[in-house]
Amino acid sequence: MSTTPEDSDVIARAARAYDPEAFEDHPIEQRRFLAAIQWGARRRLATEAARRLVAALRRCDGLVIASPGYHGSISGLLKNALDYVEDMRADAAPYLDGRVVGCIAVAYGPQAMGTTLIAMRTIVHALRAWPTPMAAALNGAAKLFDADGRCTDISAEAQLRTVAQQVVDFANMHRLATASRARAAELA
């Protein structure tokens, strides 16, 4: 989930570059999703876009979330999208249990980058997921991407690749561990 189409493309490219076989692209771009998020005073109004989001989250082993730093935290749009994880509370793996989440914050200063990442990691923990050890903190004041969306900053590219690598690797490790536990239970 990201804030702009450019963010979604950068995240997808980084993950595909690391492991093309392991990455299934389900970008959920917030500007298109915004109109679909509706909350009532007493209950949430599920829309088709919200149902597609929850279905994609149920299928995924890992995901990457990205947000600009807004007053030291994540965007309201990302928070609203993540609120739909509540629909997964009664699943066999409730909320985002067992999934790995890479976090990317873009802000104009180190303080906002740090506090935004802390907020993202706190939310990921609250949703029972595992944040990757590495998170990307990107300086929005720097020119990080060219007109075609390619990362031109060596540090930013390294951060994005590391986040993508960790999401794929940890998701694969969890999948193997789950399969191993299931085999052990069958043999018991």
Side-chain angles (χ1 to χ4, degrees):
M1 288 184 262
S2 68
T3 301
T4 67
E6 294 80 16
D7 290 344
S8 294
D9 190 47
V10 168
I11 295 163
R13 243 188 268 168
R16 243 185 256 107
Y18 174 68
D19 188 347
E21 299 297 315
F23 182 73
E24 184 178 337
D25 194 356
H26 288 288
I28 298 165
E29 193 256 297
Q30 286 187 12
R31 290 177 200 256
R32 280 185 249 143
F33 192 71
L34 174 61
I37 296 176
Q38 302 173 19
W39 289 85
R42 295 185 183 207
R43 65 178 178 82
R44 186 177 31 76
L45 305 171
T47 63
E48 182 56 33
R51 286 187 287 276
R52 283 194 315 269
L53 168 65
V54 172
L57 290 172
R58 283 182 168 130
R59 286 191 309 270
C60 78
D61 295 310
L63 65 144
V64 176
I65 58 175
S67 180
Y70 284 159
H71 305 291
S73 194
I74 66 170
S75 71
L77 294 174
L78 179 59
K79 175 64 171 80
N80 288 344
L82 288 171
D83 283 342
Y84 278 96
V85 173
E86 184 65 26
D87 289 358
M88 300 165 64
R89 71 186 170 280
D91 290 5
Y95 302 101
L96 295 176
D97 186 59
R99 293 167 181 88
V100 61
V101 179
C103 299
I104 300 171
V106 180
Y108 282 88
Q111 183 173 350
M113 285 183 259
T115 57
T116 302
L117 285 174
I118 289 168
M120 293 169 94
R121 288 172 176 272
T122 301
I123 292 166
V124 167
H125 277 287
L127 295 175
R128 302 183 187 182
W130 305 335
T132 55
M134 176 69 178
L138 306 180
N139 183 350
K143 184 173 175 7
L144 303 176
F145 302 94
D146 66 17
D148 296 324
R150 284 187 289 269
C151 190
T152 57
D153 182 271
I154 295 169
S155 174
E157 183 176 356
Q159 290 180 65
L160 294 169
R161 284 189 186 278
T162 302
V163 170
Q165 174 185 352
Q166 289 179 353
V167 169
V168 172
D169 285 351
F170 290 128
N172 285 335
M173 284 189 276
H174 185 262
R175 200 173 318 119
L176 289 171
T178 301
S180 178
R181 281 193 301 274
R183 278 192 298 266
E186 289 173 6
L187 298 174

